[in-house]
Amino acid sequence: MHDFKIRAGGLLLMVLGAIAAWFFLLGPLREAHAGVPEVRYQLKAFLLVPLCVVFGIAFLLRGSGLNYRDVERRQLTLTGWLLFAVIAVLTAVGYWWLQQEFAELGYR
């Protein structure tokens, strides 16, 4: 039952990440395509979306077997560091991509 809850939490994280991407990243991009004079987006979303999606997928696939942290020593394991490295790369690539899209549409 515990493993099911963790996997369900992973699914919930993925849904939360998709909702955040839809409203806070793709919404402003849609506004830019529509030609709105000023477009605003949340920088936090660039971290929130990859964090939710990466950990959501990891929890969904591995469940309670995902050992991303050492509870006793209060530090990340190699798996945890790799997950955060993937999140960092996705955050940087996502930010770069959205900036390129805005620049192509004449926003800066």
Side-chain angles (χ1 to χ4, degrees), residues 16-106:
L16 183 67
I19 291 170
W22 180 261
F23 284 107
F24 299 119
L25 299 176
L26 297 178
L29 188 58
R30 283 191 310 273
E31 290 175 356
H33 280 285
V36 174
E38 185 176 328
V39 177
R40 292 178 167 242
Y41 56 87
Q42 297 290 323
L43 284 176
K44 297 173 206 172
F46 290 103
L47 179 61
L48 177 67
V49 171
L51 183 78
C52 288
V53 171
V54 168
F55 270 98
I57 290 170
F59 284 132
L60 188 63
L61 294 177
R62 298 294 310 261
S64 60
L66 180 65
N67 297 320
Y68 68 97
R69 64 189 174 116
D70 184 349
V71 177
E72 291 176 6
R73 293 171 45 195
R74 293 186 171 191
Q75 63 185 21
L76 294 173
T77 63
L78 178 61
T79 301
W81 284 110
L82 290 173
L83 289 173
F84 277 106
V86 170
I87 291 166
V89 168
L90 290 176
T91 297
V93 168
Y95 181 77
W96 173 82
W97 173 76
L98 198 64
Q99 291 301 314
Q100 294 300 314
E101 289 291 317
F102 283 143
E104 285 181 16
L105 295 169

